[in-house]
Amino acid sequence: MSINSSYLLKSKIIAIYGTQYAFATSIGWHRNKVTALLKGQYVPDVNEALIISSTLSLSEKEILEIFYTRIHQIVTQWLYTPTAPRIPIPTTNSTVNNTGQ
């Protein structure tokens, strides 16, 4: 999570809940998990991101600014790590011939 997106998320949490602890309690998380999220040490899954977005009434722009940056970093790291497992992507010239057989 970038500094800007972390600041945005933290400011929304404080504006609505007053403390990170109150926010963590409201979504059923331990406060350490929220701290890790804000430090960029924890990436929420899709369901958690939706809960956070809904709880804080984030706009689409805010959702992308907060969560997309970290997802982009993870995907980029995966793409440029030589040992990352690769999934074969079928090409348009696969084994199907022109007769449909």
Side-chain angles (χ1 to χ4, degrees):
M1 183 176 292
S2 72
I3 292 171
N4 289 340
S5 60
S6 179
Y7 177 78
L8 174 61
L9 183 57
K10 185 173 182 175
S11 65
K12 292 292 261 186
I13 290 169
I14 299 305
I16 295 170
Y17 288 93
T19 66
Q20 293 176 32
Y21 178 77
F23 171 71
T25 302
S26 75
I27 61 172
W29 283 17
H30 190 278
R31 66 176 188 247
N32 292 349
K33 191 172 180 178
V34 172
T35 300
L37 171 69
L38 295 174
K39 288 182 175 182
Q41 298 169 346
Y42 179 78
V43 179
D45 63 29
V46 173
N47 290 330
E48 291 171 330
L50 288 172
I51 290 168
I52 292 167
S53 301
S54 175
T55 302
L56 297 175
S57 300
L58 299 177
S59 68
E60 289 179 23
K61 181 182 178 200
E62 290 170 327
I63 292 168
L64 290 174
E65 189 175 336
I66 291 168
F67 298 111
Y68 177 76
T69 303
R70 182 65 180 139
I71 292 168
H72 182 268
Q73 290 170 345
I74 292 168
V75 169
T76 301
Q77 181 181 12
W78 178 82
L79 287 173
Y80 294 104
T81 302
T83 58
R86 299 289 183 232
I87 301 169
I89 301 172
T91 63
T92 55
N93 298 329
S94 59
T95 58
V96 178
N97 62 32
N98 291 336
T99 63
Q101 300 174 345

